Amino acid sequence: MSPQDGPPRRLVVLRHAKSDWPGGVPDHERPLAETGCVPDLALVSTAVRARQTWQLASAEWDAPPPVRHDPRLYAAEVPELLDVVRETPAGIGTLLLVAHNPGLEELVLELAGDDLGHALDDVRLKFPTSAIAVLAWHGPGWHSLSPGTALLTSVIVPRGKKGHQAAHQAD
């Protein structure tokens, strides 16, 4: 079975919302400056701004998905992010990952073997706070997710900032 065999899966990558940095507050404790598809599970960094971003996002759904707060997502680089994602149970079809840059931007660029429109160019240019990237792929389980195997279907930057949103849904 090749890594592309298996059911459709979707990884939704959400960079935390714009944060504040009050004097004397360590980076991990920074709060927010501002207060398509429902995932089956959310993996969220333990940093305050990521947890608050999750609270805002999850409030938009009538029935928010289960959430796991994972301290390994804070300041994680691509190998650590992939380790956490690959631990996701095979029954999860859509996974939401809420964490930080530069790791998230690098993860998106590492996983995307192709894109729709100019989505990869948009991520290379900038992956600002609150940006959302959606990667689609087929695989028997999250453990098989590997570099270059996903299609970057959209990049969304809320609040009127420039960004690209492709109108495509994974099969």
Side-chain angles (χ1 to χ4, degrees):
M1 183 180 278
S2 80
Q4 291 302 307
D5 291 339
R9 298 182 185 281
R10 200 174 291 141
L11 176 62
V12 180
V13 177
L14 170 58
R15 185 172 173 204
H16 65 77
K18 185 169 175 57
S19 61
D20 195 8
W21 201 327
V25 174
D27 181 68
H28 187 271
E29 300 304 317
R30 287 168 53 199
L32 293 178
E34 58 192 57
T35 307
C37 56
V38 178
D40 301 309
L41 175 66
L43 299 176
V44 179
S45 163
T46 55
V48 170
R49 59 193 179 275
R51 291 190 326 248
Q52 288 177 339
T53 298
W54 165 246
Q55 289 173 347
L56 291 171
S58 66
E60 296 300 313
W61 294 302
D62 290 336
V67 61
R68 291 186 190 156
H69 294 92
D70 194 317
R72 297 175 295 170
L73 295 174
Y74 176 70
E77 295 180 4
V78 171
E80 292 82 16
L81 290 169
L82 274 174
D83 284 348
V84 174
V85 168
R86 287 177 177 152
E87 293 172 5
T88 301
I92 301 297
T94 299
L95 177 66
L96 173 65
L97 182 62
V98 182
H100 314 273
N101 256 5
L104 288 184
E105 178 179 328
E106 293 167 359
L107 178 69
V108 170
L109 295 173
E110 179 88 5
L111 292 176
D114 202 358
D115 67 341
L116 296 179
H118 301 284
L120 274 169
D121 291 337
D122 291 343
V123 173
R124 284 185 194 108
L125 182 64
K126 187 173 184 183
F127 195 66
T129 53
S130 299
I132 301 166
V134 180
L135 295 147
W137 64 288
H138 289 261
W142 292 92
H143 65 276
S144 66
L145 180 59
S146 58
T149 60
L151 174 68
L152 180 59
T153 61
S154 63
V155 176
I156 304 155
V157 180
R159 296 180 50 98
K161 294 182 182 177
K162 291 186 179 182
H164 178 78
Q165 181 177 358
H168 174 80
Q169 292 186 7
D171 298 333

